[in-house]
């Protein structure tokens, strides 16, 4: 089964933080690439929804994010970790893109795509999203190959 949902963290992953709101280099292109590859994108962040919506609207207005970004589904959660079952009840349907390991729910760590923290001094040549896209494509390919191997075993 190929993951069809990508849960996105905001702070330190896509932007600097909710205060400075510096978009990570390559944000627009990265969002378009993942939008084309996943059936659904969701926002999974500690930033309150109203604050996320205003940040997303600003990013869209400034040309740093596509228009659809401001309308992403927002995952409401509580607790210490981000449980991907809030994005889909079927474990394996969703991946989490996040820079902060302690927020990863125990158990499905293999569904976490770690992106390096986008932190001060916010380098203009940061390629964290490019690396994240490579990792996402590798996970998708590995999942497809594993599914194919299982189907071949079942047919034998």
């Amino acid at each position: 089964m190929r993951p069809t949902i990508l849960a996105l963290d905001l702070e330190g992953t896509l932007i600097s933080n909710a205060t400075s709101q510096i978009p990570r280099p390559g944000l627009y292109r990265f969002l378009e690439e993942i939008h084309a590859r996943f059936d659904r994108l969701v926002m999974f962040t500690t930033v309150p929804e109203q604050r996320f919506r205003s940040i997303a609207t600003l990013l869209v207005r400034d040309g740093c994010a596509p228009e659809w970004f401001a309308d992403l589904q927002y995952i409401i959660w509580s607790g210490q970790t981000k449980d991907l079952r809030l994005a889909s009840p079927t474990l394996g349907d969703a991946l989490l893109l996040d820079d902060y390991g302690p927020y990863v729910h125990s158990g499905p760590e293999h569904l976490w795509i770690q992106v390096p923290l986008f932190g001060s001094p916010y380098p203009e040549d940061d390629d964290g999203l490019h690396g994240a896209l490579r990792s996402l494509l590798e996970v998708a390919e590995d999942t497809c190959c594993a599914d194919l191997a299982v189907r071949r075993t079942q047919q034998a």
Side-chain angles (χ1 to χ4, degrees):
M1 172 176 52
R2 178 183 74 82
T4 59
I5 302 166
L6 181 59
L8 300 164
D9 174 54
L10 184 64
E11 293 181 296
T13 299
L14 301 179
I15 66 169
S16 55
N17 56 60
T19 303
S20 63
Q21 305 168 23
I22 299 167
R24 191 169 204 152
L27 178 62
Y28 193 103
R29 182 171 178 218
F30 173 77
L31 291 171
E32 288 287 39
E33 291 281 342
I34 61 173
H35 188 253
R37 288 177 164 76
F38 287 87
D39 294 344
R40 193 170 60 137
L41 303 175
V42 298
M43 184 53 57
F44 210 155
T45 181
T46 59
V47 176
E49 183 174 10
Q50 185 174 2
R51 182 77 173 136
F52 160 68
R53 297 281 174 216
S54 89
I55 291 168
T57 300
L58 180 65
L59 290 170
V60 168
R61 189 188 74 211
D62 289 348
C64 299
E67 284 188 35
W68 51 261
F69 182 70
D71 297 320
L72 279 184
Q73 178 186 349
Y74 180 92
I75 301 290
I76 297 171
W77 64 289
S78 62
Q80 300 296 319
T81 60
K82 297 176 179 180
D83 186 346
L84 283 172
R85 291 175 296 183
L86 294 171
S88 171
T90 305
L91 199 58
D93 276 357
L95 297 173
L96 173 64
L97 182 71
D98 204 315
D99 66 300
Y100 192 60
Y103 281 140
V104 178
H105 196 67
S106 180
E109 290 93 349
H110 66 286
L111 300 173
W112 172 40
I113 306 300
Q114 184 176 13
V115 62
L117 170 69
F118 181 54
S120 182
Y122 311 113
E124 291 181 25
D125 63 346
D126 174 88
D127 69 346
L129 292 178
H130 180 71
L133 183 59
R134 267 195 327 265
S135 295
L136 286 165
L137 295 175
E138 287 172 13
V139 167
E141 183 177 312
D142 289 348
T143 304
C144 289
C145 291
D147 288 348
L148 183 58
V150 167
R151 282 194 296 261
R152 287 182 179 160
T153 303
Q154 290 171 343
Q155 291 173 349

